[in-house]
Amino acid sequence: QLQLVESGGGLVQPGGSLRLSCAASGAPLDDYNIGWFRQAPGKEREGVGCISSRGGSIKYADSVKGRFTISRDNGKDTVYLQMDSLKPEDTAVYYCAANRFIGPPLCVMAKWYNDWGQGTQVTVSS
């Protein structure tokens, strides 16, 4: 059974950076496409981006394109979300999720995922 654990969230000032990690255990990570999602209070869960199982294809939401970067190290069973030029509207709980069959660009949609992490809070505020 695949398990995912996010880390790296915190409080950052506008314009700052954070790197989130999504660590996998229980199954080989390179079998899975990985998506990053976020949910702000009172809002629906939003796809941030996703990366194919080998890392050769990545899709970003328009709201984060050019500011966020997804990468993965399958040898370490970890996927990363580098977030730069953060804005207050990026404040949310961030989740990673895994699916075996749907890669970019469709993997930005939450409906394809059954395995989710517990989330990590990101707060962008001065």
Side-chain angles (χ1 to χ4, degrees):
Q1 179 72 22
L2 181 70
Q3 293 185 327
L4 302 171
V5 177
E6 303 94 337
S7 62
L11 173 64
V12 63
Q13 292 187 342
S17 298
L18 279 176
R19 188 177 80 158
L20 306 184
S21 298
C22 173
S25 62
L29 188 65
D30 58 7
D31 285 348
Y32 294 87
N33 304 291
I34 300 295
W36 283 98
F37 297 84
R38 65 187 181 185
Q39 189 165 20
K43 294 189 176 181
E44 293 187 355
R45 189 167 295 189
E46 173 191 18
V48 173
C50 57
I51 186 168
S52 60
S53 60
R54 297 293 192 271
S57 182
I58 303 172
K59 169 70 174 177
Y60 296 100
D62 287 344
S63 58
V64 305
K65 198 174 298 183
R67 300 188 298 121
F68 290 11
T69 304
I70 298 173
S71 62
R72 66 190 297 159
D73 185 341
N74 286 342
K76 295 183 178 179
D77 289 325
T78 303
V79 177
Y80 304 98
L81 178 65
Q82 176 67 41
M83 305 186 295
D84 299 316
S85 302
L86 282 161
K87 305 175 181 180
E89 52 263 43
D90 295 318
T91 295
V93 177
Y94 283 71
Y95 302 87
C96 62
N99 89 80
R100 296 187 68 177
F101 303 111
I102 305 297
L106 295 179
C107 56
V108 291
M109 302 171 68
K111 68 178 183 179
W112 302 120
Y113 295 86
N114 291 319
D115 297 302
W116 292 81
Q118 84 290 347
T120 185
Q121 175 71 45
V122 172
T123 303
V124 185
S125 175
S126 55

